[in-house]
Amino acid sequence: MSQTVYLLVHRHHLSLEPGATAPDFMEDGEPLFWDDSEDSFKLLGLYSSRLRAEERIGRARTLPGFSQAPDGFSVHEYTVDDARWPRGFRTGEDASDGGKGTDGVNGGPSGP
């Protein structure tokens, strides 16, 4: 029997004007993380249900920092022991598909 967990992440786009919204940071259902001086990512926790993660969002939205970007929360569903990036990845000129995984090498959620 497989177990599903829910990763709760918050993204605060530092260069936005007050009230503006940041573009989504998902690609093909996977979160994109990069070293970007304009973004601050916080891992809030790993939860046993989507409901528990959403309850945490409700509490966090009132806290300093999180309240400045109330729409920056994202819940990502993962299966325990389900390998991600099972065939590794390529970077730079070797990544003929731009690193998006369409060649079966960079595809994070692709099978073994």
Side-chain angles (χ1 to χ4, degrees):
M1 171 189 255
S2 63
Q3 179 183 4
T4 302
V5 293
Y6 300 86
L7 178 69
L8 176 55
V9 178
H10 182 266
R11 175 189 183 197
H12 186 168
H13 196 72
L14 302 173
S15 66
L16 286 179
E17 295 294 324
T21 58
D24 192 14
F25 63 101
M26 298 288 291
E27 183 175 294
D28 297 328
E30 289 295 306
L32 299 174
F33 296 98
W34 58 90
D35 182 17
D36 187 339
S37 62
E38 295 184 1
D39 291 320
S40 170
F41 290 94
K42 304 287 186 266
L43 172 62
L44 279 84
L46 190 62
Y47 295 89
S48 60
S49 71
R50 182 171 294 278
L51 177 62
R52 287 182 185 234
E54 291 171 355
E55 288 171 344
R56 173 65 172 117
I57 290 171
R59 292 188 307 273
R61 277 197 171 123
T62 64
L63 300 174
F66 298 118
S67 63
Q68 293 173 324
D71 295 325
F73 296 95
S74 183
V75 178
H76 307 281
E77 182 177 312
Y78 291 95
T79 302
V80 174
D81 296 330
D82 182 23
R84 310 306 277 184
W85 301 96
R87 293 190 259 179
F89 64 95
R90 294 185 291 178
T91 61
E93 293 179 16
D94 291 338
S96 62
D97 66 351
K100 295 184 179 176
T102 56
D103 64 359
V105 174
N106 286 335
S110 298

